[in-house]
Amino acid sequence: MSKTFGKVILSGEHAVVYGKTAIVASIGLGVRVKTVGKGKSDYNPVVAKAIEIAGGSQDLKLEIESDLPVGSGLGSSAAVAAAVIKEVRKQLGKPIDQDELFRLTLECEKIAHGNPSGIDPAAVVYGGLIAYTKGQPLEQLLVKRQYKLLLVDTGKPVESTKEMVEMVANSVKTTEVIEKITYMVREIKDRLGRKQDIGNCINQNGLLLEELGVVGEDAIKLSNKLRSLGADVKITGAGGVQTGSGMMIVMSSDLAKFKEFLDNKQFKYFETIVGGKQ
Ligand code: MEV
């Protein structure tokens, strides 16, 4: 059995595509892949590519179990690809090191995402809390404080990450908003290092993503309601506008109050911790 974990981008999605730094953390939910024998299987393109790139045969029968909602910003495709590659290499008796696993997972990501920054594979493969800049050595952040957050499901976006990245590329606002997001990322990184609150900065980043045009109407409505009740809110990942916007980070010193609110409104959510000891 091979396991990997999903990720949550705390700050800097979309900006990271433009060579800026983003901060990402791995989360407790993930993917488990088990080899169950041989036989014909109908794999999706990412799994088929992962098997091929790892040097395995397509008639390998794998059982894939995932806790991660697909296409909702938690790194599901990178986590599946990395777990499959690990499992295939294990079966071949050729265990893989982290750097090679990152490289091969990034190749698989290109199927679904066109030109991914590599932040999802980096988070899935190296884990922990990372400051990631495309093409540069990643920086593991040693954050002594734990930050609790809720991840709320605003619905699966109909748009792919590739489409959202293209939409941002075509917006006249992009350069200006990306600069402001980059400032928030720096601020959050400093605050993590000093064990300070990051809620307000997360919220500012959330508002900037709305300004960038990657958050749909329903998610904006929910954000506004949660903000009016005192929470800090930001979508995480590529976002989506036509229907759902994927997962949304909610931070507050009183998470119990927001859990009750979300339960009453029948939103799906889970709690996770980043930083400190998990
Ligand atoms: C997706 O998790 C994050 C984006 O910045 C795309 C990427 O970095 O490849 C939207």
Side-chain angles (χ1 to χ4, degrees), residues 128-148:
L129 193 50
I130 296 169
Y132 179 84
T133 316
K134 191 176 174 174
Q136 287 186 25
L138 58 83
E139 196 185 339
Q140 288 278 2
L141 302 177
L142 295 170
V143 174
K144 299 228 175 77
R145 172 174 163 181
Q146 291 192 331
Y147 295 85
K148 269 193 191 169

Side-chain angles (χ1 to χ4, degrees), residues 7 9 12-17 73 113 115-120 161 165 237-238:
K7 62 90 184 37
I9 298 182
E13 50 273 269
H14 287 290
V16 70
V17 173
H113 294 179
N115 182 25
S117 67
I119 192 165
D120 289 19
T161 297
V165 168

Side-chain angles (χ1 to χ4, degrees), residues 1 33-38 60-63 87-88 91:
M1 153 106 77
V33 175
K34 206 162 77 181
T35 306
V36 288
K38 290 212 161 169
L60 197 62
K61 245 191 158 13
L62 299 175
E63 204 173 83
E87 179 65 14
V88 171
Q91 291 304 321

Side-chain angles (χ1 to χ4, degrees), residues 20 22 27 46 84 95 131 156 169 186 202-203 217 264:
K20 311 291 186 190
I27 57 173
V46 172
V84 167
K156 183 172 158 29
R186 271 192 221 123
I202 293 283
N203 194 53
E217 242 173 67
N264 285 337

Side-chain angles (χ1 to χ4, degrees), residues 32 40 51 75 89 109 116 153 267:
R32 294 160 296 282
K40 215 172 149 32
I51 295 174
R89 290 287 291 263
E109 280 282 278
D153 193 351
F267 276 99

Side-chain angles (χ1 to χ4, degrees), residues 11-16 18 20-21 172-188 200-212 234:
S11 184
E13 50 273 269
H14 287 290
V16 70
Y18 295 84
K20 311 291 186 190
T21 301
V172 289
K173 285 189 178 166
T174 297
T175 310
E176 185 195 331
V177 179
I178 295 290
E179 277 315 311
K180 291 185 191 162
I181 290 176
T182 304
Y183 175 80
M184 275 350 293
V185 173
R186 271 192 221 123
E187 187 66 24
I188 289 173
N200 184 35
C201 297
I202 293 283
N203 194 53
Q204 294 302 322
N205 191 163
L207 290 166
L208 288 167
L209 287 169
E210 291 172 21
E211 199 183 327
L212 193 60
K234 169 191 166 289

